[in-house]
Amino acid sequence: MSSSSIDNVQPSTSAQNNTSDELEPGACPDSILDPTDSFEEFASEMSSSLQSRHIALTTKSSTISEIQCEINKDFKESSEIKSTKSSEDLQNKNDSMSESGSSSNLIDQNNEELDSDKEDYLHSPELINKEKHVFILSSAGKPIYSRYGNEDKLAGLCGVIQALVSVVEDQNHDILRSITTKDCKTVFLVKGPLILVAISKSNESETQLVLQLTYAFNQIVSVLTLTQLNRIFEQRRNYDLRRLLSGAERLIDNLLIFMEKDPAFLLGAVRCLPLPEKSRESITNAITSTCNKIRDLVFAILIAGNQLITLVRMKKYTLHPSDIHLLFNLVRSTESFKSAESWTPICLPKFDASGFLHGHVSYIAEDCQACLILLTVQRDAFFPLSQAKHTIAEKLRRSNCLGAINDALNRNEDLPTTNPLRHIGILEIRHFMYKCKSTAQLFTSDPVSIDRPQDNRTRPKEGGDIVEKKIEKLSDIDYVSNYRKFCSQIHCTSTPAKLIFRSNSDNTILAWVTNGFELYVTFDALMEKDQAIKAVDRLLRWIKKEEQRIFIMNAPTF
Amino acid sequence: MKVIEAKIVVLGSQGVGKTSLVVRYIGKMFSKHISPTIGASFFTCNISVDDARVKLQVWDTAGQERFRSMAPMYYRNANAALLVFDISSLNSFQAIKGWVKELQSNVPEPMVMSVVGNKCDLESSRAVPHAEAAQYAASIGAQYCETSALHDQGIEQVFVTTAAALLRLAGAGTNLRSYDSADEDRLLSGAPTEETPTHTGRIELPAWSIDNIAHGEPRNTCC
Ligand SMILES: Nc1nc2c(ncn2[C@@H]2O[C@H](COP(=O)(O)OP(=O)(O)OP(=O)(O)O)[C@@H](O)[C@H]2O)c(=O)[nH]1
Ligand SMILES: [Mg+2]
């Protein structure tokens, strides 16, 4: 692939004028989501020193206890609430359980006998020729997770990784961040008691790989809490974490696939289900009017097909997009939520890594695949929340909102957002993605097509091989993968680009970042610059016009 | 008509088929696409036995180790427990014994226990002899059934005998909520509609006496 030109020029005047005197499409004064810079994780990882790394992970006040205190203060009926020191109780219990685990010893013995086989295993078809490996191990070098193959047989490799990391730390007082060879990047991330490694032949940058490893770490925190994770390894450095993670590997498997395909991760933003303004408003009202008396409720979140429908929150608290992504991943990976109401502990690492919220999770109706997640700090709240769910579902049905949700999910042809490019009539544009920075929301011309994940962890071990294929027609995923390079240049910390316009034999890509938004557009290979700017101008105008439908433009509270 | 409300908790190792069992009975189907339970799932059903009705709240718990510590939340105040293992996995049978000990020391009220050997369609890879499981069940005063969620075998019986035992437990004057359905209608809706049972059943097994129902260590608790 030969790229012909890189231009860091100012955008043409017409496009700039259009957006400078009004709010960017999608922007609104109040946001339900924390605004993000897609590369904040990376920036913070990179600036971390050896000492600060440890401190950052251990000292942080707990938002959950803060909320519990608030509730206690407001209502003096403390007897009932005292029993809700939820996360603590859960974790103490778990520690006592873990004492009985003896599987770790067994594995140790096996390792020594089989060391010679290990070498061969690294060359087995299960492992070679994969586009991207991800390994997670404890800082003592014990395997915890491998994207492909069998962790048990990878003890040797994990030992090597652990040795590499600790040699650099102990002897050079430095941090090993990455190793780059001709066709392969290896990125290391040490977080708390874990070492995470990605070995990639994809076009993802080091930054993007670090971001993915951070997500994988957060996924583990989300099922265990950071408090529990740290405590386990403080008590037993040699602990075999796979015991506690058993069944959660598939969440990491699915998350890795999800991140490679969905631009929401690349941009640190959340996609909303496009809905008529009226419908979204009545959905939100149905939730607020039902839930405003339930005082322990922190968030009520309605999602469908990896898109946010609405989020109602306790005053003062917002969510970080990455916590929402973990919720999307959980719901997408858990077919059994469809069969009944579930009650489950969920830790949202950005919100509060130290404890669990309790989640009432259920699909809103047989005939509507939207999933309602009610998150509370009260561990005994299942029945009131179950009641609330039924009331909300009833209200949504009566106001015909279920129909509106279904139309959007089924991509009804009559909706302007179903096929935006055809609807606007800009045929020069093949694909685009737009992020409104202040609200951390995103919109793309195509939905991302991700298959339903496998239910049991047998299949994800296969696949993921590098395949050389001549692409006839680009899929949405190919477009997004093409944007990665541009995305890293725009977010490059040393010399960030504001506008990139670049052609190769296949297509022309424009990437443009302002204070308010990021925009990535793919055109035909022969697109001229001024023509492209004109098309982008029309596109932005259309997004502005449809912003109420495409984005969540308010930040409702209970 | 006599109506009682009871809470039943389903316990057992990861992947033994707890959810498949419950979904087979309540949803009348089997799906290969059931994923591991996260936390616990809540179901309800009504079972008519003779001329009485049992309203069951079913808590289907997750077998994954990380949820182990949540279990007390679900078996607290439970009136019955289904202890499910997979007949092709000896470990899952051993795990049942751990659960029984935990229930016996943490649940002071009398509780109907049923030991269920699921996946009996996998006879060829059986790892737990029928006699051994039955003997163990008898030793803790529980019934023993073998089931297959895949082929819909034996499941009806598990629930119906449990419901019948719960009725006897209620008759013996325990903390089970029971009332007359006429009262219930007045209480709940005012409308004199007769709620239709979702399930009916007839018990073929000879009934056990109340002495056979497992008790935890008697203990003085205030609530
Ligand atoms: N052959 C056979 N397979 C079964 C039977 N019941 C369940 N399975 C299979 O066993 C696997 C696990 O079933 P689940 O119902 O999810 O098991 P569970 O006990 O609920 O598992 P957790 O929720 O993780 O605790 C699934 O693949 C089922 O298809 C059965 O009676 N026979
Ligand atoms: Mg289950």
Side-chain angles (χ1 to χ4, degrees):
Chain A
M1 270 217 245
S2 66
S3 67
S4 63
S5 70
I6 298 185
D7 275 346
N8 284 350
V9 293
Q10 282 297 309
S12 93
T13 44
S14 71
Q16 206 173 30
N17 285 346
N18 173 46
T19 46
S20 59
D21 48 17
E22 50 188 308
L23 278 178
E24 300 78 27
C28 67
D30 236 351
S31 170
I32 38 170
L33 301 174
D34 304 338
T36 55
D37 182 345
S38 352
F39 290 81
E40 58 180 29
E41 298 279 2
F42 183 69
S44 71
E45 285 308 329
M46 287 298 116
S47 60
S48 68
S49 65
L50 263 180
Q51 292 95 329
S52 72
R53 191 154 71 187
H54 194 66
I55 298 163
L57 268 181
T58 45
T59 56
K60 225 184 156 205
S61 66
S62 160
T63 316
I64 292 175
S65 17
E66 182 186 307
I67 294 174
Q68 287 169 339
C69 282
E70 283 286 300
I71 294 170
N72 266 338
K73 215 167 41 196
D74 291 355
F75 303 84
K76 290 238 159 57
E77 319 152 19
S78 51
S79 61
E80 176 198 349
I81 291 155
K82 262 190 195 138
S83 66
T84 67
K85 277 171 48 207
S86 51
S87 45
E88 292 302 313
D89 295 355
L90 270 178
Q91 285 151 12
N92 289 337
K93 256 283 162 54
N94 246 336
D95 287 342
S96 59
M97 305 307 313
S98 60
E99 295 306 323
S100 60
S102 58
S103 51
S104 51
N105 306 343
L106 285 175
I107 291 161
D108 268 354
Q109 287 163 5
N110 291 341
N111 288 343
E112 278 159 28
E113 289 163 24
L114 296 171
D115 244 9
S116 59
D117 296 348
K118 293 288 157 53
E119 284 304 311
D120 299 339
Y121 185 64
L122 291 181
H123 299 285
S124 72
E126 283 173 47
L127 293 177
I128 55 165
N129 203 37
K130 299 294 182 191
E131 188 172 62
K132 181 161 67 203
H133 280 283
V134 173
F135 302 107
I136 305 177
L137 46 139
S138 69
S139 47
K142 257 200 198 307
I144 293 171
Y145 169 87
S146 168
R147 184 173 187 185
Y148 304 105
N150 178 341
E151 300 90 4
D152 270 338
K153 300 187 192 164
L154 290 169
L157 177 72
C158 289
V160 172
I161 296 175
Q162 192 266 341
L164 273 175
V165 168
S166 63
V167 160
V168 176
E169 274 188 23
D170 301 345
Q171 300 188 356
N172 303 9
H173 303 286
D174 205 345
I175 297 175
L176 175 60
R177 303 203 196 269
S178 67
I179 301 174
T180 307
T181 59
K182 193 166 101 275
D183 60 343
C184 184
K185 286 189 204 82
T186 305
V187 172
F188 299 83
L189 180 67
V190 179
K191 256 184 145 9
L194 305 186
I195 302 175
L196 302 98
V197 184
I199 305 175
S200 167
K201 295 181 178 164
S202 73
N203 70 350
E204 289 153 310
S205 67
E206 188 186 329
T207 320
Q208 285 152 3
L209 292 170
V210 169
L211 184 77
Q212 294 179 5
L213 291 180
T214 312
Y215 263 103
F217 177 79
N218 284 342
Q219 179 66 71
I220 291 178
V221 169
S222 169
V223 301
L224 298 179
T225 73
L226 189 58
T227 316
Q228 189 180 185
L229 183 67
N230 283 334
R231 190 162 47 204
I232 287 168
F233 285 104
E234 272 159 30
Q235 288 171 352
R236 295 231 316 251
R237 214 174 98 82
N238 245 340
Y239 187 79
D240 186 355
L241 195 63
R242 284 177 305 165
R243 248 168 64 81
L244 270 184
L245 283 185
S246 126
E249 312 91 340
R250 43 196 295 289
L251 290 175
I252 309 176
D253 290 338
N254 290 336
L255 183 69
L256 291 172
I257 298 172
F258 203 6
M259 282 192 286
E260 284 165 2
K261 299 188 171 170
D262 193 328
F265 292 87
L266 190 63
L267 294 178
V270 170
R271 185 197 305 266
C272 303
L273 184 75
L275 279 179
E277 194 184 348
K278 279 262 154 43
S279 308
R280 203 186 307 275
E281 206 176 280
S282 10
I283 295 171
T284 307
N285 287 342
I287 294 178
T288 41
S289 62
T290 310
C291 296
N292 60 4
K293 296 255 155 52
I294 309 177
R295 57 173 213 259
D296 312 290
L297 194 58
V298 190
F299 295 110
I301 307 167
L302 188 64
I303 65 177
N306 307 318
Q307 300 165 89
L308 188 60
I309 295 174
T310 188
L311 190 169
V312 186
R313 68 215 167 85
M314 196 179 250
K315 274 188 201 68
K316 285 213 312 213
Y317 301 101
T318 51
L319 273 183
H320 191 281
S322 90
D323 283 342
I324 304 230
H325 292 154
L326 291 180
L327 288 175
F328 283 170
N329 189 49
L330 175 69
V331 170
R332 201 173 76 88
S333 309
T334 312
E335 192 72 6
S336 62
F337 286 152
K338 289 187 182 158
S339 54
E341 292 170 53
S342 293
W343 182 238
T344 178
I346 298 174
C347 169
L348 298 176
K350 294 277 187 181
F351 176 71
D352 184 349
S354 71
F356 285 115
L357 290 167
H358 298 274
H360 179 281
V361 187
S362 62
Y363 280 80
I364 207 82
E366 292 262 300
D367 56 347
C368 179
Q369 294 296 298
C371 181
L372 181 68
I373 306 171
L374 303 169
L375 293 169
T376 169
V377 291
Q378 163 68 283
R379 76 188 311 182
D380 294 324
F382 177 85
F383 288 103
L385 294 184
S386 169
Q387 178 79 52
K389 180 252 156 132
H390 290 289
T391 313
I392 292 169
E394 194 42 48
K395 285 182 182 169
L396 295 191
R397 188 175 297 286
R398 261 187 280 122
S399 56
N400 203 23
C401 293
L402 299 186
I405 293 173
N406 281 334
D407 276 351
L409 271 179
N410 301 334
R411 305 186 57 74
N412 187 326
E413 285 296 330
D414 300 337
L415 299 173
T417 45
T418 296
N419 217 323
L421 291 173
R422 197 181 318 143
H423 187 261
I424 318 168
I426 317 183
L427 299 170
E428 313 87 287
I429 296 181
R430 290 180 181 173
H431 183 273
F432 73 88
M433 63 182 197
Y434 174 91
K435 173 191 175 185
C436 173
K437 283 173 155 185
S438 60
T439 57
Q441 295 177 30
L442 126 129
F443 184 66
T444 63
S445 51
D446 285 325
V448 176
S449 41
I450 305 171
D451 302 334
R452 205 172 57 76
Q454 294 295 325
D455 295 320
N456 293 310
R457 203 187 180 225
T458 42
R459 297 282 282 284
K461 292 257 177 186
E462 293 151 22
D465 293 286
I466 299 171
V467 276
E468 290 295 336
K469 54 164 192 221
K470 183 65 203 139
I471 298 161
E472 302 281 302
K473 186 176 176 299
L474 290 188
S475 74
D476 41 339
I477 292 161
D478 300 319
Y479 284 115
V480 171
S481 132
N482 285 342
Y483 294 142
R484 281 186 200 142
K485 252 197 326 271
F486 295 83
C487 202
S488 351
Q489 281 177 4
I490 275 185
H491 292 277
C492 163
T493 36
S494 50
T495 49
K498 283 228 165 351
L499 181 78
I500 307 174
F501 186 81
R502 186 188 298 169
S503 312
N504 62 23
S505 55
D506 296 326
N507 53 40
T508 299
I509 293 177
L510 175 138
W512 182 19
V513 58
T514 70
N515 288 335
F517 64 80
E518 284 176 40
L519 177 67
Y520 302 81
V521 186
T522 308
F523 303 94
D524 290 341
L526 297 176
M527 192 68 180
E528 299 284 337
K529 207 183 304 163
D530 50 342
Q531 242 183 304
I533 298 279
K534 266 194 210 118
V536 164
D537 192 26
R538 280 181 67 200
L539 176 61
L540 286 174
R541 257 186 259 235
W542 179 82
I543 296 177
K544 182 77 192 165
K545 187 169 122 260
E546 297 291 342
E547 62 181 1
Q548 293 286 355
R549 192 190 281 270
I550 299 174
F551 299 110
I552 299 178
M553 301 285 291
N554 54 8
T557 57
F558 292 121
Chain B
M1 183 191 250
K2 182 181 158 120
V3 180
I4 64 165
E5 275 181 4
K7 172 174 157 181
I8 179 169
V9 61
V10 186
L11 299 167
S13 301
Q14 184 178 349
V16 296
K18 299 179 292 298
T19 306
S20 303
L21 213 80
V22 174
V23 168
R24 170 62 94 181
Y25 183 65
I26 294 176
K28 300 262 177 285
M29 55 147 195
F30 182 84
S31 162
K32 279 228 159 7
H33 290 305
I34 284 178
S35 63
T37 306
I38 301 291
S41 305
F42 178 74
F43 298 82
T44 54
C45 66
N46 288 315
I47 306 178
S48 281
V49 183
D50 299 337
D51 54 354
R53 187 158 76 229
V54 181
K55 297 177 110 183
L56 266 192
Q57 294 188 340
V58 183
W59 279 105
D60 168 29
T61 65
Q64 286 174 26
E65 185 64 29
R66 64 187 165 112
F67 295 114
R68 174 83 201 214
S69 55
M70 281 177 71
M73 218 154 96
Y74 304 109
Y75 62 62
R76 204 179 28 166
N77 304 324
N79 311 105
L82 294 189
L83 301 148
V84 187
F85 68 94
D86 168 353
I87 63 145
S88 67
S89 152
L90 189 57
N91 277 342
S92 72
F93 179 59
Q94 300 302 348
I96 292 302
K97 299 180 180 171
W99 281 118
V100 169
K101 284 212 187 74
E102 190 171 333
L103 291 178
Q104 284 172 341
S105 56
N106 290 326
V107 185
E109 296 83 19
M111 197 181 211
V112 177
M113 289 208 246
S114 315
V115 177
V116 179
N118 189 39
K119 306 199 187 180
C120 68
D121 51 286
L122 300 178
E123 187 60 46
S124 57
S125 43
R126 178 187 281 277
V128 183
H130 187 288
E132 190 183 333
Q135 194 182 10
Y136 172 71
S139 78
I140 58 161
Q143 65 161 334
Y144 178 61
C145 293
E146 293 204 342
T147 58
S148 166
L150 181 64
H151 294 158
D152 196 6
Q153 278 168 9
I155 298 174
E156 182 86 19
Q157 202 197 354
V158 171
F159 280 88
V160 173
T161 44
T162 303
L166 283 166
L167 282 167
R168 271 193 306 280
L169 195 60
T174 52
N175 63 340
L176 272 167
R177 252 194 81 189
S178 71
Y179 43 81
D180 211 59
S181 72
D183 295 343
E184 175 202 18
D185 291 335
R186 228 177 299 129
L187 269 170
L188 290 182
S189 56
T193 49
E194 177 71 344
E195 204 179 337
T196 48
T198 50
H199 297 82
T200 52
R202 175 152 302 127
I203 327 136
E204 277 120 35
L205 275 188
W208 330 294
S209 78
I210 188 77
D211 317 322
N212 275 352
I213 289 169
H215 289 258
E217 262 115 63
R219 211 190 276 174
N220 283 334
T221 41
C222 55
C223 43

